[in-house]
Amino acid sequence: MKDLEAALLAAHAAGDAAALVSIYQEAAALTEDGDAAAFMLTHAHIFALECDHPDTAKLRAALVALGRESPLHPPQPPKR
């Protein structure tokens, strides 16, 4: 876990959003605490949104499945 912490600090220092997405996902997968995993996935999702990461939709779906995010609803057509 120390290596993961060092990688997180380095990615934050470098402003490397794509690396932060991967590292936070890995951290979420390694924890057995559901709240901690949701926290890590939320961070991964935020950084994914910032850099238009390919895992953005997958991360949102994971947060929805955990009850930490609401599903997006398709836009309604304009009323006539």
Short mmCIF file of all heavy atoms in Angstrom, two decimals:
data_model
loop_
_atom_site.label_atom_id
_atom_site.label_comp_id
_atom_site.label_asym_id
_atom_site.label_seq_id
_atom_site.Cartn_x
_atom_site.Cartn_y
_atom_site.Cartn_z
N MET A 1 0.82 -1.19 0.00
CA MET A 1 0.00 0.00 0.00
C MET A 1 0.87 1.26 0.00
O MET A 1 0.45 2.29 -0.49
CB MET A 1 -0.93 -0.06 1.21
CG MET A 1 -2.14 0.81 1.10
SD MET A 1 -3.23 0.31 -0.24
CE MET A 1 -4.78 0.72 0.44
N LYS A 2 2.06 1.16 0.55
CA LYS A 2 2.97 2.32 0.55
C LYS A 2 3.33 2.73 -0.87
O LYS A 2 3.44 3.92 -1.15
CB LYS A 2 4.23 1.99 1.35
CG LYS A 2 4.03 2.03 2.84
CD LYS A 2 5.08 2.93 3.42
CE LYS A 2 4.95 2.96 4.91
NZ LYS A 2 4.54 4.24 5.39
N ASP A 3 3.53 1.74 -1.75
CA ASP A 3 3.84 2.05 -3.15
C ASP A 3 2.67 2.81 -3.78
O ASP A 3 2.87 3.74 -4.56
CB ASP A 3 4.14 0.79 -3.95
CG ASP A 3 5.45 0.13 -3.53
OD1 ASP A 3 6.31 0.83 -2.95
OD2 ASP A 3 5.61 -1.07 -3.79
N LEU A 4 1.46 2.39 -3.46
CA LEU A 4 0.27 3.04 -4.00
C LEU A 4 0.17 4.48 -3.50
O LEU A 4 -0.14 5.39 -4.27
CB LEU A 4 -0.97 2.23 -3.60
CG LEU A 4 -2.23 2.44 -4.39
CD1 LEU A 4 -2.01 2.16 -5.86
CD2 LEU A 4 -3.33 1.55 -3.85
N GLU A 5 0.45 4.68 -2.22
CA GLU A 5 0.43 6.03 -1.66
C GLU A 5 1.47 6.91 -2.34
O GLU A 5 1.18 8.07 -2.67
CB GLU A 5 0.68 5.98 -0.16
CG GLU A 5 -0.48 5.39 0.63
CD GLU A 5 -0.16 5.25 2.11
OE1 GLU A 5 0.67 6.03 2.63
OE2 GLU A 5 -0.74 4.36 2.75
N ALA A 6 2.66 6.37 -2.56
CA ALA A 6 3.72 7.14 -3.23
C ALA A 6 3.31 7.48 -4.65
O ALA A 6 3.54 8.60 -5.13
CB ALA A 6 5.02 6.35 -3.21
N ALA A 7 2.67 6.53 -5.34
CA ALA A 7 2.22 6.77 -6.71
C ALA A 7 1.14 7.85 -6.74
O ALA A 7 1.13 8.70 -7.64
CB ALA A 7 1.71 5.47 -7.33
N LEU A 8 0.22 7.82 -5.76
CA LEU A 8 -0.82 8.85 -5.67
C LEU A 8 -0.21 10.23 -5.47
O LEU A 8 -0.60 11.19 -6.15
CB LEU A 8 -1.77 8.55 -4.51
CG LEU A 8 -3.00 7.73 -4.80
CD1 LEU A 8 -3.76 7.44 -3.51
CD2 LEU A 8 -3.89 8.40 -5.80
N LEU A 9 0.71 10.33 -4.55
CA LEU A 9 1.35 11.61 -4.29
C LEU A 9 2.09 12.13 -5.52
O LEU A 9 2.01 13.31 -5.85
CB LEU A 9 2.30 11.50 -3.09
CG LEU A 9 1.63 11.29 -1.73
CD1 LEU A 9 2.69 11.03 -0.66
CD2 LEU A 9 0.77 12.48 -1.36
N ALA A 10 2.80 11.24 -6.20
CA ALA A 10 3.54 11.64 -7.40
C ALA A 10 2.59 12.09 -8.51
O ALA A 10 2.84 13.09 -9.18
CB ALA A 10 4.43 10.50 -7.88
N ALA A 11 1.49 11.35 -8.71
CA ALA A 11 0.53 11.70 -9.77
C ALA A 11 -0.15 13.03 -9.44
O ALA A 11 -0.39 13.85 -10.34
CB ALA A 11 -0.49 10.59 -9.94
N HIS A 12 -0.48 13.25 -8.16
CA HIS A 12 -1.06 14.54 -7.77
C HIS A 12 -0.07 15.67 -8.02
O HIS A 12 -0.43 16.71 -8.57
CB HIS A 12 -1.47 14.53 -6.30
CG HIS A 12 -2.85 14.01 -6.05
ND1 HIS A 12 -3.99 14.69 -6.41
CD2 HIS A 12 -3.28 12.86 -5.48
CE1 HIS A 12 -5.06 14.00 -6.06
NE2 HIS A 12 -4.65 12.88 -5.49
N ALA A 13 1.18 15.46 -7.64
CA ALA A 13 2.21 16.49 -7.82
C ALA A 13 2.41 16.81 -9.30
O ALA A 13 2.64 17.97 -9.66
CB ALA A 13 3.52 16.04 -7.19
N ALA A 14 2.30 15.79 -10.15
CA ALA A 14 2.49 15.97 -11.59
C ALA A 14 1.23 16.47 -12.29
O ALA A 14 1.28 16.84 -13.46
CB ALA A 14 2.96 14.67 -12.23
N GLY A 15 0.09 16.44 -11.59
CA GLY A 15 -1.17 16.82 -12.22
C GLY A 15 -1.60 15.83 -13.29
O GLY A 15 -2.27 16.21 -14.25
N ASP A 16 -1.26 14.57 -13.10
CA ASP A 16 -1.53 13.52 -14.09
C ASP A 16 -2.89 12.87 -13.80
O ASP A 16 -2.97 11.86 -13.08
CB ASP A 16 -0.41 12.49 -14.06
CG ASP A 16 -0.50 11.46 -15.17
OD1 ASP A 16 -1.56 11.36 -15.83
OD2 ASP A 16 0.50 10.75 -15.37
N ALA A 17 -3.95 13.45 -14.34
CA ALA A 17 -5.31 12.97 -14.06
C ALA A 17 -5.52 11.53 -14.52
O ALA A 17 -6.16 10.75 -13.82
CB ALA A 17 -6.33 13.89 -14.71
N ALA A 18 -4.98 11.17 -15.67
CA ALA A 18 -5.17 9.79 -16.17
C ALA A 18 -4.53 8.78 -15.21
O ALA A 18 -5.12 7.73 -14.93
CB ALA A 18 -4.59 9.65 -17.56
N ALA A 19 -3.36 9.09 -14.70
CA ALA A 19 -2.71 8.19 -13.74
C ALA A 19 -3.52 8.12 -12.45
O ALA A 19 -3.68 7.05 -11.86
CB ALA A 19 -1.29 8.66 -13.45
N LEU A 20 -4.08 9.26 -12.03
CA LEU A 20 -4.88 9.27 -10.81
C LEU A 20 -6.12 8.40 -10.95
O LEU A 20 -6.51 7.72 -9.99
CB LEU A 20 -5.26 10.71 -10.45
CG LEU A 20 -4.11 11.53 -9.90
CD1 LEU A 20 -4.45 13.01 -9.90
CD2 LEU A 20 -3.73 11.07 -8.50
N VAL A 21 -6.72 8.38 -12.12
CA VAL A 21 -7.88 7.50 -12.35
C VAL A 21 -7.48 6.06 -12.09
O VAL A 21 -8.15 5.33 -11.34
CB VAL A 21 -8.43 7.66 -13.79
CG1 VAL A 21 -9.51 6.62 -14.08
CG2 VAL A 21 -8.97 9.06 -14.01
N SER A 22 -6.40 5.63 -12.68
CA SER A 22 -5.94 4.24 -12.52
C SER A 22 -5.56 3.92 -11.08
O SER A 22 -5.90 2.86 -10.56
CB SER A 22 -4.75 3.97 -13.44
OG SER A 22 -5.12 4.13 -14.77
N ILE A 23 -4.84 4.82 -10.46
CA ILE A 23 -4.38 4.57 -9.09
C ILE A 23 -5.54 4.52 -8.11
O ILE A 23 -5.61 3.63 -7.25
CB ILE A 23 -3.34 5.63 -8.67
CG1 ILE A 23 -2.10 5.54 -9.56
CG2 ILE A 23 -2.95 5.45 -7.21
CD1 ILE A 23 -1.18 6.75 -9.47
N TYR A 24 -6.49 5.44 -8.24
CA TYR A 24 -7.66 5.41 -7.35
C TYR A 24 -8.51 4.16 -7.59
O TYR A 24 -9.06 3.59 -6.66
CB TYR A 24 -8.49 6.68 -7.49
CG TYR A 24 -7.99 7.83 -6.65
CD1 TYR A 24 -7.51 8.99 -7.23
CD2 TYR A 24 -7.98 7.76 -5.26
CE1 TYR A 24 -7.04 10.05 -6.46
CE2 TYR A 24 -7.52 8.81 -4.47
CZ TYR A 24 -7.05 9.94 -5.09
OH TYR A 24 -6.59 10.98 -4.30
N GLN A 25 -8.60 3.71 -8.84
CA GLN A 25 -9.33 2.46 -9.11
C GLN A 25 -8.63 1.28 -8.44
O GLN A 25 -9.28 0.40 -7.87
CB GLN A 25 -9.42 2.22 -10.62
CG GLN A 25 -10.42 3.10 -11.31
CD GLN A 25 -10.54 2.78 -12.78
OE1 GLN A 25 -11.35 1.94 -13.15
NE2 GLN A 25 -9.73 3.42 -13.60
N GLU A 26 -7.31 1.25 -8.54
CA GLU A 26 -6.55 0.18 -7.91
C GLU A 26 -6.73 0.22 -6.39
O GLU A 26 -6.93 -0.82 -5.75
CB GLU A 26 -5.07 0.30 -8.26
CG GLU A 26 -4.23 -0.82 -7.71
CD GLU A 26 -2.76 -0.71 -8.09
OE1 GLU A 26 -2.41 0.12 -8.95
OE2 GLU A 26 -1.96 -1.47 -7.50
N ALA A 27 -6.68 1.41 -5.81
CA ALA A 27 -6.87 1.55 -4.37
C ALA A 27 -8.26 1.06 -3.95
O ALA A 27 -8.41 0.38 -2.93
CB ALA A 27 -6.67 3.00 -3.95
N ALA A 28 -9.27 1.38 -4.75
CA ALA A 28 -10.64 0.92 -4.44
C ALA A 28 -10.73 -0.60 -4.47
O ALA A 28 -11.38 -1.21 -3.63
CB ALA A 28 -11.63 1.52 -5.43
N ALA A 29 -10.05 -1.20 -5.44
CA ALA A 29 -10.08 -2.66 -5.56
C ALA A 29 -9.36 -3.35 -4.41
O ALA A 29 -9.69 -4.49 -4.05
CB ALA A 29 -9.47 -3.09 -6.89
N LEU A 30 -8.38 -2.69 -3.82
CA LEU A 30 -7.58 -3.30 -2.76
C LEU A 30 -8.20 -3.20 -1.37
O LEU A 30 -7.84 -3.96 -0.48
CB LEU A 30 -6.19 -2.67 -2.73
CG LEU A 30 -5.29 -2.99 -3.92
CD1 LEU A 30 -3.99 -2.19 -3.84
CD2 LEU A 30 -5.00 -4.48 -3.99
N THR A 31 -9.14 -2.28 -1.18
CA THR A 31 -9.72 -2.10 0.16
C THR A 31 -10.92 -3.02 0.35
O THR A 31 -11.65 -3.32 -0.59
CB THR A 31 -10.10 -0.63 0.43
OG1 THR A 31 -10.52 -0.53 1.78
CG2 THR A 31 -11.20 -0.15 -0.49
N GLU A 32 -11.10 -3.44 1.58
CA GLU A 32 -12.27 -4.27 1.92
C GLU A 32 -13.37 -3.43 2.57
O GLU A 32 -14.44 -3.93 2.85
CB GLU A 32 -11.84 -5.40 2.86
CG GLU A 32 -10.90 -6.39 2.17
CD GLU A 32 -10.45 -7.49 3.10
OE1 GLU A 32 -11.04 -7.68 4.18
OE2 GLU A 32 -9.48 -8.19 2.73
N ASP A 33 -13.07 -2.15 2.80
CA ASP A 33 -14.02 -1.23 3.41
C ASP A 33 -14.87 -0.59 2.30
O ASP A 33 -14.34 0.11 1.44
CB ASP A 33 -13.22 -0.17 4.18
CG ASP A 33 -14.10 0.88 4.85
OD1 ASP A 33 -15.23 1.14 4.38
OD2 ASP A 33 -13.64 1.46 5.85
N GLY A 34 -16.17 -0.83 2.32
CA GLY A 34 -17.07 -0.32 1.28
C GLY A 34 -17.08 1.19 1.18
O GLY A 34 -17.12 1.74 0.07
N ASP A 35 -17.03 1.88 2.32
CA ASP A 35 -17.00 3.34 2.29
C ASP A 35 -15.70 3.85 1.68
O ASP A 35 -15.71 4.80 0.90
CB ASP A 35 -17.18 3.92 3.69
CG ASP A 35 -18.60 3.77 4.22
OD1 ASP A 35 -19.53 3.67 3.40
OD2 ASP A 35 -18.78 3.76 5.45
N ALA A 36 -14.60 3.22 2.03
CA ALA A 36 -13.30 3.63 1.48
C ALA A 36 -13.26 3.37 -0.03
O ALA A 36 -12.76 4.19 -0.79
CB ALA A 36 -12.16 2.89 2.17
N ALA A 37 -13.82 2.24 -0.46
CA ALA A 37 -13.84 1.92 -1.89
C ALA A 37 -14.67 2.97 -2.64
O ALA A 37 -14.26 3.44 -3.70
CB ALA A 37 -14.41 0.53 -2.12
N ALA A 38 -15.82 3.34 -2.09
CA ALA A 38 -16.66 4.35 -2.73
C ALA A 38 -15.94 5.69 -2.78
O ALA A 38 -16.03 6.41 -3.79
CB ALA A 38 -17.99 4.48 -1.98
N PHE A 39 -15.22 6.03 -1.73
CA PHE A 39 -14.44 7.27 -1.69
C PHE A 39 -13.41 7.27 -2.82
O PHE A 39 -13.26 8.25 -3.55
CB PHE A 39 -13.76 7.39 -0.32
CG PHE A 39 -12.85 8.57 -0.18
CD1 PHE A 39 -13.35 9.80 0.20
CD2 PHE A 39 -11.49 8.44 -0.39
CE1 PHE A 39 -12.51 10.90 0.35
CE2 PHE A 39 -10.64 9.53 -0.25
CZ PHE A 39 -11.15 10.76 0.13
N MET A 40 -12.68 6.16 -2.95
CA MET A 40 -11.65 6.05 -3.99
C MET A 40 -12.27 6.09 -5.39
O MET A 40 -11.74 6.75 -6.29
CB MET A 40 -10.85 4.77 -3.82
CG MET A 40 -10.09 4.66 -2.53
SD MET A 40 -8.84 5.94 -2.39
CE MET A 40 -8.14 5.55 -0.82
N LEU A 41 -13.39 5.40 -5.58
CA LEU A 41 -14.05 5.41 -6.89
C LEU A 41 -14.59 6.80 -7.23
O LEU A 41 -14.58 7.20 -8.40
CB LEU A 41 -15.18 4.38 -6.93
CG LEU A 41 -14.72 2.92 -6.96
CD1 LEU A 41 -15.93 1.99 -6.85
CD2 LEU A 41 -13.92 2.62 -8.22
N THR A 42 -15.06 7.53 -6.22
CA THR A 42 -15.52 8.89 -6.46
C THR A 42 -14.38 9.76 -6.95
O THR A 42 -14.53 10.51 -7.92
CB THR A 42 -16.14 9.49 -5.17
OG1 THR A 42 -17.27 8.69 -4.80
CG2 THR A 42 -16.57 10.93 -5.38
N HIS A 43 -13.23 9.63 -6.32
CA HIS A 43 -12.06 10.38 -6.77
C HIS A 43 -11.66 9.97 -8.19
O HIS A 43 -11.36 10.82 -9.04
CB HIS A 43 -10.89 10.19 -5.81
CG HIS A 43 -10.97 11.09 -4.63
ND1 HIS A 43 -11.91 10.93 -3.64
CD2 HIS A 43 -10.25 12.18 -4.30
CE1 HIS A 43 -11.75 11.89 -2.74
NE2 HIS A 43 -10.75 12.66 -3.12
N ALA A 44 -11.67 8.67 -8.45
CA ALA A 44 -11.33 8.20 -9.80
C ALA A 44 -12.29 8.80 -10.82
O ALA A 44 -11.88 9.25 -11.90
CB ALA A 44 -11.38 6.67 -9.86
N HIS A 45 -13.58 8.85 -10.48
CA HIS A 45 -14.59 9.38 -11.39
C HIS A 45 -14.37 10.87 -11.65
O HIS A 45 -14.47 11.34 -12.79
CB HIS A 45 -15.99 9.12 -10.83
CG HIS A 45 -17.08 9.49 -11.76
ND1 HIS A 45 -18.04 10.42 -11.44
CD2 HIS A 45 -17.37 9.09 -13.02
CE1 HIS A 45 -18.87 10.56 -12.46
NE2 HIS A 45 -18.48 9.77 -13.43
N ILE A 46 -14.07 11.60 -10.61
CA ILE A 46 -13.84 13.05 -10.77
C ILE A 46 -12.66 13.30 -11.71
O ILE A 46 -12.75 14.11 -12.63
CB ILE A 46 -13.61 13.71 -9.40
CG1 ILE A 46 -14.92 13.72 -8.60
CG2 ILE A 46 -13.06 15.12 -9.56
CD1 ILE A 46 -14.75 14.03 -7.13
N PHE A 47 -11.57 12.59 -11.49
CA PHE A 47 -10.41 12.78 -12.36
C PHE A 47 -10.69 12.27 -13.77
O PHE A 47 -10.20 12.84 -14.75
CB PHE A 47 -9.16 12.13 -11.76
CG PHE A 47 -8.62 12.91 -10.60
CD1 PHE A 47 -8.72 12.42 -9.31
CD2 PHE A 47 -8.02 14.15 -10.78
CE1 PHE A 47 -8.24 13.15 -8.23
CE2 PHE A 47 -7.54 14.89 -9.71
CZ PHE A 47 -7.65 14.39 -8.43
N ALA A 48 -11.50 11.23 -13.89
CA ALA A 48 -11.88 10.72 -15.22
C ALA A 48 -12.67 11.77 -15.98
O ALA A 48 -12.47 11.97 -17.19
CB ALA A 48 -12.68 9.43 -15.09
N LEU A 49 -13.58 12.46 -15.28
CA LEU A 49 -14.35 13.53 -15.92
C LEU A 49 -13.43 14.65 -16.38
O LEU A 49 -13.62 15.22 -17.46
CB LEU A 49 -15.40 14.08 -14.95
CG LEU A 49 -16.58 13.17 -14.66
CD1 LEU A 49 -17.35 13.68 -13.45
CD2 LEU A 49 -17.48 13.05 -15.87
N GLU A 50 -12.43 14.96 -15.58
CA GLU A 50 -11.51 16.05 -15.91
C GLU A 50 -10.71 15.79 -17.18
O GLU A 50 -10.41 16.72 -17.92
CB GLU A 50 -10.54 16.32 -14.76
CG GLU A 50 -11.17 17.04 -13.61
CD GLU A 50 -10.17 17.40 -12.52
OE1 GLU A 50 -8.96 17.15 -12.68
OE2 GLU A 50 -10.62 17.95 -11.51
N CYS A 51 -10.35 14.53 -17.40
CA CYS A 51 -9.48 14.23 -18.55
C CYS A 51 -10.17 13.42 -19.63
O CYS A 51 -9.51 12.89 -20.52
CB CYS A 51 -8.19 13.54 -18.08
SG CYS A 51 -8.40 11.87 -17.46
N ASP A 52 -11.50 13.32 -19.58
CA ASP A 52 -12.28 12.56 -20.57
C ASP A 52 -11.71 11.14 -20.72
O ASP A 52 -11.48 10.65 -21.81
CB ASP A 52 -12.29 13.30 -21.91
CG ASP A 52 -13.39 12.80 -22.84
OD1 ASP A 52 -14.39 12.26 -22.34
OD2 ASP A 52 -13.22 12.91 -24.06
N HIS A 53 -11.50 10.50 -19.58
CA HIS A 53 -10.93 9.15 -19.52
C HIS A 53 -11.93 8.12 -20.05
O HIS A 53 -13.13 8.25 -19.84
CB HIS A 53 -10.57 8.84 -18.05
CG HIS A 53 -9.68 7.68 -17.87
ND1 HIS A 53 -10.12 6.39 -17.89
CD2 HIS A 53 -8.34 7.62 -17.69
CE1 HIS A 53 -9.11 5.57 -17.69
NE2 HIS A 53 -8.01 6.31 -17.56
N PRO A 54 -11.44 7.08 -20.72
CA PRO A 54 -12.36 6.06 -21.26
C PRO A 54 -13.14 5.28 -20.19
O PRO A 54 -14.16 4.67 -20.50
CB PRO A 54 -11.46 5.13 -22.07
CG PRO A 54 -10.07 5.53 -21.80
CD PRO A 54 -10.07 6.86 -21.13
N ASP A 55 -12.70 5.31 -18.94
CA ASP A 55 -13.40 4.59 -17.87
C ASP A 55 -14.48 5.42 -17.17
O ASP A 55 -15.09 4.97 -16.21
CB ASP A 55 -12.40 4.11 -16.81
CG ASP A 55 -11.54 2.96 -17.29
OD1 ASP A 55 -11.82 2.40 -18.36
OD2 ASP A 55 -10.56 2.63 -16.58
N THR A 56 -14.74 6.62 -17.67
CA THR A 56 -15.69 7.51 -16.99
C THR A 56 -17.06 6.85 -16.80
O THR A 56 -17.60 6.85 -15.69
CB THR A 56 -15.84 8.84 -17.77
OG1 THR A 56 -14.55 9.44 -17.89
CG2 THR A 56 -16.78 9.79 -17.06
N ALA A 57 -17.62 6.29 -17.84
CA ALA A 57 -18.96 5.67 -17.74
C ALA A 57 -18.93 4.46 -16.81
O ALA A 57 -19.86 4.25 -16.03
CB ALA A 57 -19.46 5.28 -19.12
N LYS A 58 -17.87 3.67 -16.88
CA LYS A 58 -17.74 2.49 -16.02
C LYS A 58 -17.67 2.91 -14.55
O LYS A 58 -18.29 2.27 -13.70
CB LYS A 58 -16.48 1.71 -16.41
CG LYS A 58 -16.21 0.48 -15.57
CD LYS A 58 -14.96 -0.22 -16.02
CE LYS A 58 -13.81 0.30 -15.18
NZ LYS A 58 -12.57 -0.47 -15.34
N LEU A 59 -16.94 3.98 -14.28
CA LEU A 59 -16.84 4.45 -12.90
C LEU A 59 -18.17 4.96 -12.38
O LEU A 59 -18.57 4.68 -11.25
CB LEU A 59 -15.76 5.53 -12.80
CG LEU A 59 -14.34 5.02 -12.95
CD1 LEU A 59 -13.38 6.15 -13.27
CD2 LEU A 59 -13.92 4.29 -11.68
N ARG A 60 -18.89 5.71 -13.22
CA ARG A 60 -20.22 6.20 -12.82
C ARG A 60 -21.15 5.03 -12.54
O ARG A 60 -21.88 5.01 -11.55
CB ARG A 60 -20.81 7.11 -13.88
CG ARG A 60 -22.17 7.64 -13.45
CD ARG A 60 -22.73 8.68 -14.40
NE ARG A 60 -23.97 9.18 -13.89
CZ ARG A 60 -24.09 10.13 -12.98
NH1 ARG A 60 -23.01 10.69 -12.49
NH2 ARG A 60 -25.27 10.52 -12.56
N ALA A 61 -21.11 4.01 -13.40
CA ALA A 61 -21.96 2.83 -13.21
C ALA A 61 -21.62 2.13 -11.89
O ALA A 61 -22.52 1.65 -11.19
CB ALA A 61 -21.80 1.88 -14.39
N ALA A 62 -20.34 2.06 -11.56
CA ALA A 62 -19.93 1.44 -10.30
C ALA A 62 -20.48 2.23 -9.11
O ALA A 62 -20.96 1.65 -8.12
CB ALA A 62 -18.41 1.33 -10.22
N LEU A 63 -20.42 3.55 -9.20
CA LEU A 63 -20.94 4.39 -8.13
C LEU A 63 -22.47 4.27 -8.02
O LEU A 63 -23.02 4.26 -6.91
CB LEU A 63 -20.52 5.85 -8.33
CG LEU A 63 -19.03 6.10 -8.12
CD1 LEU A 63 -18.65 7.49 -8.63
CD2 LEU A 63 -18.65 5.94 -6.65
N VAL A 64 -23.15 4.16 -9.15
CA VAL A 64 -24.60 3.95 -9.13
C VAL A 64 -24.91 2.62 -8.46
O VAL A 64 -25.80 2.53 -7.60
CB VAL A 64 -25.19 4.01 -10.56
CG1 VAL A 64 -26.64 3.53 -10.58
CG2 VAL A 64 -25.10 5.42 -11.12
N ALA A 65 -24.16 1.58 -8.81
CA ALA A 65 -24.38 0.25 -8.23
C ALA A 65 -24.15 0.25 -6.72
O ALA A 65 -24.81 -0.49 -5.99
CB ALA A 65 -23.47 -0.77 -8.90
N LEU A 66 -23.25 1.09 -6.25
CA LEU A 66 -22.98 1.20 -4.81
C LEU A 66 -23.97 2.13 -4.10
O LEU A 66 -23.89 2.31 -2.89
CB LEU A 66 -21.56 1.73 -4.58
CG LEU A 66 -20.42 0.80 -4.96
CD1 LEU A 66 -19.09 1.54 -4.89
CD2 LEU A 66 -20.42 -0.42 -4.04
N GLY A 67 -24.87 2.74 -4.86
CA GLY A 67 -25.84 3.66 -4.27
C GLY A 67 -25.23 5.01 -3.92
O GLY A 67 -25.79 5.76 -3.12
N ARG A 68 -24.09 5.33 -4.52
CA ARG A 68 -23.40 6.58 -4.23
C ARG A 68 -23.64 7.65 -5.29
O ARG A 68 -23.18 8.77 -5.15
CB ARG A 68 -21.88 6.34 -4.11
CG ARG A 68 -21.50 5.30 -3.08
CD ARG A 68 -22.01 5.70 -1.70
NE ARG A 68 -21.75 4.68 -0.72
CZ ARG A 68 -20.93 4.83 0.30
NH1 ARG A 68 -20.31 5.96 0.49
NH2 ARG A 68 -20.76 3.84 1.14
N GLU A 69 -24.33 7.28 -6.34
CA GLU A 69 -24.62 8.21 -7.44
C GLU A 69 -25.97 7.83 -8.00
O GLU A 69 -26.41 6.69 -7.87
CB GLU A 69 -23.53 8.10 -8.50
CG GLU A 69 -23.64 9.08 -9.64
CD GLU A 69 -23.56 10.53 -9.20
OE1 GLU A 69 -22.46 11.04 -9.00
OE2 GLU A 69 -24.63 11.14 -9.06
N SER A 70 -26.64 8.79 -8.62
CA SER A 70 -27.93 8.54 -9.25
C SER A 70 -27.73 8.28 -10.73
O SER A 70 -26.86 8.90 -11.35
CB SER A 70 -28.85 9.75 -9.09
OG SER A 70 -29.08 10.01 -7.74
N PRO A 71 -28.55 7.39 -11.30
CA PRO A 71 -28.43 7.17 -12.74
C PRO A 71 -28.84 8.42 -13.51
O PRO A 71 -29.68 9.19 -13.04
CB PRO A 71 -29.38 6.00 -13.02
CG PRO A 71 -30.18 5.79 -11.80
CD PRO A 71 -29.56 6.56 -10.68
N LEU A 72 -28.22 8.61 -14.64
CA LEU A 72 -28.60 9.73 -15.51
C LEU A 72 -29.85 9.35 -16.27
O LEU A 72 -30.01 8.22 -16.72
CB LEU A 72 -27.47 10.04 -16.48
CG LEU A 72 -26.17 10.54 -15.86
CD1 LEU A 72 -25.10 10.68 -16.94
CD2 LEU A 72 -26.39 11.87 -15.18
N HIS A 73 -30.72 10.29 -16.43
CA HIS A 73 -31.94 10.03 -17.19
C HIS A 73 -31.78 10.69 -18.56
O HIS A 73 -31.23 11.78 -18.67
CB HIS A 73 -33.15 10.63 -16.48
CG HIS A 73 -33.36 10.03 -15.13
ND1 HIS A 73 -33.84 8.75 -14.95
CD2 HIS A 73 -33.12 10.50 -13.88
CE1 HIS A 73 -33.90 8.48 -13.67
NE2 HIS A 73 -33.47 9.53 -12.99
N PRO A 74 -32.27 10.02 -19.60
CA PRO A 74 -32.15 10.63 -20.92
C PRO A 74 -32.95 11.94 -20.97
O PRO A 74 -33.98 12.07 -20.31
CB PRO A 74 -32.73 9.58 -21.87
CG PRO A 74 -33.52 8.65 -21.02
CD PRO A 74 -32.98 8.77 -19.62
N PRO A 75 -32.49 12.90 -21.75
CA PRO A 75 -33.24 14.15 -21.84
C PRO A 75 -34.62 13.92 -22.44
O PRO A 75 -34.81 13.07 -23.31
CB PRO A 75 -32.40 15.02 -22.76
CG PRO A 75 -31.33 14.16 -23.31
CD PRO A 75 -31.32 12.85 -22.55
N GLN A 76 -35.57 14.65 -21.93
CA GLN A 76 -36.95 14.54 -22.44
C GLN A 76 -37.10 15.40 -23.69
O GLN A 76 -36.53 16.49 -23.76
CB GLN A 76 -37.93 15.00 -21.36
CG GLN A 76 -37.86 14.17 -20.09
CD GLN A 76 -38.24 12.73 -20.33
OE1 GLN A 76 -39.21 12.45 -21.01
NE2 GLN A 76 -37.48 11.81 -19.77
N PRO A 77 -37.87 14.92 -24.66
CA PRO A 77 -38.08 15.75 -25.85
C PRO A 77 -38.87 17.00 -25.48
O PRO A 77 -39.66 16.99 -24.54
CB PRO A 77 -38.89 14.85 -26.79
CG PRO A 77 -39.44 13.77 -25.93
CD PRO A 77 -38.57 13.66 -24.72
N PRO A 78 -38.66 18.08 -26.21
CA PRO A 78 -39.40 19.31 -25.90
C PRO A 78 -40.90 19.11 -26.07
O PRO A 78 -41.34 18.38 -26.95
CB PRO A 78 -38.87 20.33 -26.91
CG PRO A 78 -37.92 19.63 -27.78
CD PRO A 78 -37.78 18.22 -27.33
N LYS A 79 -41.67 19.73 -25.19
CA LYS A 79 -43.13 19.65 -25.28
C LYS A 79 -43.61 20.61 -26.35
O LYS A 79 -43.08 21.69 -26.52
CB LYS A 79 -43.76 19.98 -23.94
CG LYS A 79 -43.45 18.95 -22.89
CD LYS A 79 -44.14 19.26 -21.61
CE LYS A 79 -43.79 18.20 -20.59
NZ LYS A 79 -44.46 18.41 -19.34
N ARG A 80 -44.64 20.19 -27.06
CA ARG A 80 -45.21 21.03 -28.14
C ARG A 80 -46.51 21.61 -27.70
O ARG A 80 -47.27 21.23 -27.00
CB ARG A 80 -45.41 20.21 -29.39
CG ARG A 80 -44.10 19.79 -29.97
CD ARG A 80 -44.33 19.06 -31.23
NE ARG A 80 -43.06 18.55 -31.72
CZ ARG A 80 -42.75 18.45 -32.95
NH1 ARG A 80 -43.60 18.79 -33.89
NH2 ARG A 80 -41.61 17.96 -33.31
#
